[in-house]
Amino acid sequence: MLRKTNKSSWGGRGGRSGNSNDKHYFAGHDDRVPRNDGGSYIGNRPRVSFKTQARPTRDIPRSLALACLDEDVQMATSSNNNNRQVIIRGRDRGMQRGRNSPLPHRRFRGGLAAGMRRLPLGEPNWYKITIPYGHKYDKDYVVNNLLSYIAPETFVPIMYKVAGNEASFYVDDNKTATALLSSDRKITTTDGFKLQVKVIKSGFPHCEIDEKLKERLKQAMAKRYVHETNALDLSSFHRDPDLVTDYFCALFRPIMLKVVLDLVSEYIPNLEALNLDGNKLQIIEKLNILTKKFSKLKILYIGDNKIKEMNQIDTIKDLKLEELKLAGNPVCNKYKSRQNDYISDVRKRFPKLLRLDGMELPKPILFDVVDEGNKMPPSQRMFVGNAKAQEIASQFLQQYFVIFDSENRQPLLDAYDEHACFSMTVSYTHNSNNKLNGYLLENRNLYRTNDTNKRHKLLKQGRLPVVSFISEMPQTSHYLNTFTMDISLVTEGMMLITVTGLFKELDKKEQSIRYFNRTFIIVPEGTGYCIRNEQLHINTPTDAQLKHLNSQTEVQIPGPVSHGASSSSGIAKPMPSQQLPENVKQQMTMTLSQQTNMNLEWSLKCLEEVMWNYDNALSAFQEFFKRGQIPSEAFNK
C-alpha cells in the first residue's frame, strides 16, 4: 500500500526504477544560476518544469514497445532456407535476411508504399488488430515479428489477449494500423504458415475500475513521480508498459481521469507540475478538478491532445500557471500566422504565464490582461489631490449653488469673471416623458452644430450675458447627496473643477429630475475666486440614478426662502439630524453664516435649536433679527 506524500514509494528518482533509458518520462529542470567564478550553483530549490526529451520520429520509442519482450526470439523457416535460422536481437540493426526471412525488404517504408491499402481516418482512431490462430504463438513472438516487419514504425500492443484461436490487441494510430495491415500474410511462422493480420476500426477497449486496478495505478504513477521537483508525468498514460498488458487506462475517459487525479490529490496534494501530453484529451471540462485539488500547480502540459477551441481551456483558467504547453492541439493551427494573438488569448486566461510551448514570454502588459492584483480602484464621490484646494472649491461651490437655487440669481454676477465664457449642451432621447425641449434652442452640441456663426452665438461671453442666460433657466433645487466633485488640475493661477449630480425643476407641475455635469475653471480674484469658464451639460437621469435617489432621503442644497414661503416648495427638505453626515452639517452651518452674517458658532447653535431644519433656522433668524433679539457677539467673526 502506498504511503502519503514524502514517502519513498512516490519519491523514486528519475521515473521507472532500473531503467535509465526511459528519458521521455518527467524530470526536474534545474534553472539555478551558476556563480561568476564558475563554482557551484546558487539558489534555493530547482524550478519545477518538464524536460522535452528528443524522441524517434514516432511518439513511441522502440525501447518502450520492446520493453516486455524477450531479448532473443528464434524464428524457424522452411526447408528452402537450408535450415538456416534467423535470430532477431531486440533493436539490433544488423539483422540477417534469408530468402524466406520474415524481415521486410530493405526498401520497405513501414506500410506507406504506393498502392498499399489504407484504413479510414476518424474519431476515435482506435483499431483492433486480430491474429487468427494466434493462440499457437507466444505474445513476444507475434509482437516481435510485427515490429520487425513494419520498422521503423513502432507500436505498443494495448491489452494483448488470447480468446479461443485468436490473439488480439489494440493500437491508437491510423498510420500504425495501416502498416500492420500491410503485414498480412507477409510473415512466415515457424510452422511454415503465413501470419494473418486483420485490422478493423474499433472503439477503445474498456476495463473495469476496481481496487486491483487502483493499486496498479499507484505503482505506475509512483515510478512517474519526481520528488525533487514535485512533478508527475502522466503523458500517454494509456501506453504505460506497467499497465498496458492488462488495462486500458485512458485519461480521456472522464471516469478514469477522475480516479487518477483523486489518487494524485491523496498522495501529492501539493503537486506543482503535471504532464498530460498525448492522452487524446478532447473534452476537458473534467480538468476543472485541477483548480479544486491542486492549488499550488504552476506548470501544466496538455500538448499533443485534441483540444479544438481556445475557450475550452477556460475550465482551468483559475489555475495560477507560470508555464503551459498547448502545442500539438488542433486549436494551435488557428494561430499559425497570428503568434501575438495566440499569446494574448492564452494570457487572458493565465495572466502570470511566463513560458508557453517551451518559449519564454515577454513580461505581461498588465492593462492587457486580467490580474486580480491590478483591478480598478473603487469609485469615489470626491477626487482631490490637494486638501487646500478642496476647502476652497467646497466653499465656492456651496455659495454658488445656494444662490443658483434661490429665487434671485443676480448675485451670481460676483461669481463670474468680467470676460467669462459659458456654454450649455444637452443630450436627449425620444422618450416623451423626459424631453428637454426647454433647453434645445441653446444647445451648443458641437457634433450637431456645424455652423460657425451659430456656434459663436451660442457661446455666452462676458459676465452680464452669462448671468442673464442663467437667470432665465428654470427654477431648480439640487440634491446634495447625489453630488460628486473632481479637482483634476490645481495651479497658482487656476483650478479645474467638475461637479455632477441631480436637480429638480420647480417651474413645472411635473417637477422633472435632471442630471447635470458642470465643469468650472476658477481663477483668483481679489481675496476670493471667480469663474473664468463654465460648461454645463444636462441630460435625463438613468433608471439606476433615479432608483438610488428614491432609496435615499432627499438632501437638497439649502437656499434662501422668500418671506411667507412654506416648506411645501420642495426646497431644503431636511434629513433627521441623526442621519445627516458631518460634512453636510458643516456646509449648512457655513451657508447660514454667509446668508445671515452670523459667525459659525451662532449659526451652529441656531441649526441645532431647530434640529437641523434649514428653513426653520433661517426663518427663526429673520424673526429674531427683526425684533432685535440677536446679540451683537453673534456677528463677531
Side-chain angles (χ1 to χ4, degrees), residues 366-367 369-376:
L366 296 181
F367 61 79
V369 295
V370 179
D371 189 352
E372 60 184 12
N374 294 280
K375 290 182 177 179
M376 291 291 290

Side-chain angles (χ1 to χ4, degrees), residues 27-33 41-43 45-49 51 229:
H29 171 66
D30 192 344
D31 65 346
R32 292 175 293 178
V33 180
Y41 288 99
I42 58 175
R45 80 186 282 261
R47 176 174 175 268
V48 183
S49 183
K51 284 184 179 178
T229 56

Side-chain angles (χ1 to χ4, degrees), residues 357-386:
D357 296 340
M359 300 182 300
E360 296 291 338
L361 297 182
K363 291 184 178 181
I365 303 172
L366 296 181
F367 61 79
D368 190 40
V369 295
V370 179
D371 189 352
E372 60 184 12
N374 294 280
K375 290 182 177 179
M376 291 291 290
S379 61
Q380 301 180 20
R381 290 187 60 186
M382 182 179 296
F383 174 79
V384 182
N386 186 309

Side-chain angles (χ1 to χ4, degrees), residues 57-206:
T57 55
R58 297 291 299 144
D59 290 340
I60 315 170
R62 291 185 62 81
S63 61
L64 177 59
L66 295 168
C68 300
L69 303 182
D70 293 335
E71 182 179 357
D72 297 338
V73 178
Q74 177 174 310
M75 300 179 64
T77 62
S78 65
S79 59
N80 292 335
N81 187 327
N82 296 324
N83 294 324
R84 287 183 298 168
Q85 291 183 338
V86 179
I87 304 298
I88 299 178
R89 300 187 181 277
R91 297 163 61 186
D92 186 6
R93 298 298 182 188
M95 298 178 181
Q96 303 179 32
R97 289 176 170 81
R99 184 169 57 183
N100 293 324
S101 170
L103 296 179
H105 192 272
R106 292 182 185 274
R107 288 177 296 200
F108 177 73
R109 291 294 180 265
L112 299 180
M116 186 169 295
R117 288 179 292 171
R118 292 183 179 273
L119 292 165
L121 285 169
E123 293 290 349
N125 286 335
W126 291 99
Y127 300 89
K128 184 176 182 180
I129 314 299
T130 303
I131 311 296
Y133 307 104
H135 69 290
K136 297 190 299 183
Y137 313 107
D138 290 339
K139 169 189 172 182
D140 294 347
Y141 176 84
V142 173
V143 173
N144 202 2
N145 272 277
L146 293 173
L147 284 170
S148 299
Y149 185 86
I150 69 172
E153 296 297 324
T154 185
F155 67 91
V156 171
I158 299 173
M159 294 186 70
Y160 190 101
K161 301 292 181 184
V162 175
N165 294 335
E166 293 183 341
S168 65
F169 58 89
Y170 294 84
V171 295
D172 63 348
D173 180 73
N174 177 270
K175 187 177 181 181
T176 301
T178 301
L180 288 171
L181 182 60
S182 70
S183 68
D184 183 33
R185 301 178 187 273
K186 300 292 178 60
I187 299 173
T188 303
T189 62
T190 54
D191 52 8
F193 291 97
K194 299 292 184 179
L195 191 69
Q196 298 182 52
V197 181
K198 297 183 178 180
V199 182
I200 60 171
K201 191 163 174 40
S202 170
F204 55 81
H206 291 271

Side-chain angles (χ1 to χ4, degrees), residues 579-598:
Q579 296 183 19
L580 281 176
E582 287 300 319
N583 64 326
V584 174
K585 291 181 178 181
Q586 292 174 7
Q587 290 177 351
M588 291 175 67
T589 304
M590 188 180 299
T591 302
L592 184 61
S593 174
Q594 292 166 353
Q595 288 192 257
T596 62
N597 285 324
M598 289 194 302

